Amino acid sequence: PVSFGDIAYALLDFVVDTNEKGEFGFKVKNIDERCVVRRFYPDPETSRAAHYLRLNDVVVAVGNIDARAHPFSAVVQKISKFSARHLPVALRVARPLIDDEYYPLPPGAP
């Protein structure tokens, strides 16, 4: 998507690897059936995902699955399958293009 409402988005592709425990280091929230990145753990400095993702990124694809065509629960389940197998996951995200003061980068992020 180019925009959701008045906010423009950039589409970005990442491959996120798991840590030793099989965790990607990010949590998502269901916002209007969209899978939205809301938190990094254990913290933004040690989360592998924080090097790629930002808060409020909207997951639009997981591997070969178009997240926009599936309910939130199916998207989370697909991400969880990669985590359970300690495999990296390919994600396409829509990143809102808003100023950095409101939307700061986590430490070490591109």
Side-chain angles (χ1 to χ4, degrees):
V2 176
S3 68
F4 291 121
D6 294 336
I7 300 174
Y9 282 73
L11 288 177
L12 304 165
D13 296 320
F14 300 111
V15 175
V16 180
D17 202 357
T18 62
N19 64 17
E20 303 76 31
K21 297 178 185 176
E23 301 167 331
F24 292 115
F26 69 100
K27 297 284 186 181
V28 295
K29 184 174 181 179
N30 182 349
I31 300 176
D32 297 330
E33 281 304 305
R34 293 185 186 113
C35 187
V36 180
V37 176
R38 297 306 297 156
R39 187 168 74 84
F40 296 105
Y41 68 90
D43 61 65
E45 292 185 19
T46 59
S47 166
R48 291 181 187 220
H51 295 288
Y52 306 101
L53 303 174
R54 285 185 175 179
L55 296 178
N56 298 320
D57 280 355
V58 179
V59 176
V60 294
V62 179
N64 62 345
I65 300 297
D66 183 350
R68 297 165 293 181
H70 297 279
F72 172 81
S73 59
V75 176
V76 172
Q77 183 178 27
K78 180 73 171 182
I79 294 170
S80 297
K81 285 183 182 180
F82 284 93
S83 177
R85 296 180 183 135
H86 294 250
L87 295 173
V89 63
L91 299 175
R92 173 169 282 179
V93 299
R95 177 168 294 162
L97 300 175
I98 53 182
D99 66 62
D100 285 338
E101 183 177 322
Y102 172 75
Y103 189 65
L105 281 170

